[in-house]
Amino acid sequence: MKSTDWDQVSLIYQEGINTGNATFEKSIPSWNSWISTHISGCNIVARSENRVLGWAALAPTSKRKVYSGVVEVSVYVSEKCQGKGIGHALLRKIIELSENNGIWTLQAGIFPENKISIGLHQKCGFRVVGIRERIGKMDGIWRDVVLMERRSKKVG
C-alpha cells in the first residue's frame, strides 16, 4: 500500500464503516494519521490494473516490548468485489508478511453480525478466543466483539 492508494483504500474503508458491522470508527483518518499507527511493510492492497479491490493491514496491539509480536489485523474488500476470494488472498498474504516480520500472534476483533468475516478468519486458521461483551458503544448502543486469534507455527 502506498500513499497514492489512499483515496481508493479510504473509499473501501468508508464502505465498511457504512455497514455498521466492520469497525467502531465513524470517519476516515488522513493517510499520515493512519499509516503512523500501522506496521511499515505490512499494509497491502489487491488491485486489478489501477483499481484497488481490497486491502489488509497490521497494527500493534501494545507499545510494550513484550507484545511486539502481537498485532491486530484488518481486512477490507470493496463491496463490488466481495465473494471472489480477494479477502482470502489478502489475509493469506498478510499472514505471510506477519511471519516474515517476526509476528507470532494475529488478533482480530469482529462484530458477531459480520459472519462472513468470522468465517474468512476461521478458514485462514484463526480461532475464536471469546466474546468481548459490551466492549464499546456505537451510536449509543453497546456492541459485542468476537475476539479471534491466529498463532504462527513458524514464529514464536
Side-chain angles (χ1 to χ4, degrees), residues 13 16-26 72-73 76 108-119 121 128 130-139 141-148:
Y13 195 13
I17 290 171
N18 293 346
T19 70
N21 287 323
T23 178
F24 278 108
E25 296 297 332
K26 295 304 241 170
E72 183 175 2
V73 62
Y76 286 78
I110 305 171
F111 290 123
E113 297 84 359
N114 195 342
K115 295 183 186 322
I116 291 172
S117 186
I118 291 170
H121 283 76
V128 174
I131 307 292
R132 300 181 80 193
E133 295 177 348
R134 297 171 45 96
I135 195 68
K137 279 188 176 180
M138 187 176 205
D139 299 325
I141 299 169
W142 285 104
R143 299 288 302 266
D144 297 344
V145 169
V146 177
L147 180 60
M148 300 186 76

Side-chain angles (χ1 to χ4, degrees), residues 73-134:
V73 62
S74 298
V75 179
Y76 286 78
V77 176
S78 169
E79 291 174 349
K80 296 174 186 170
C81 300
Q82 292 176 2
K84 298 179 181 177
I86 295 166
H88 185 259
L90 284 165
L91 192 49
R92 296 301 319 163
K93 184 63 178 178
I94 207 79
I95 289 167
E96 178 185 325
L97 286 171
S98 73
E99 291 176 333
N100 291 344
N101 283 276
I103 295 166
W104 61 83
T105 301
L106 297 178
Q107 294 181 353
I110 305 171
F111 290 123
E113 297 84 359
N114 195 342
K115 295 183 186 322
I116 291 172
S117 186
I118 291 170
L120 169 65
H121 283 76
Q122 287 174 323
K123 187 176 178 181
C124 290
F126 284 72
R127 68 183 181 95
V128 174
V129 176
I131 307 292
R132 300 181 80 193
E133 295 177 348
R134 297 171 45 96

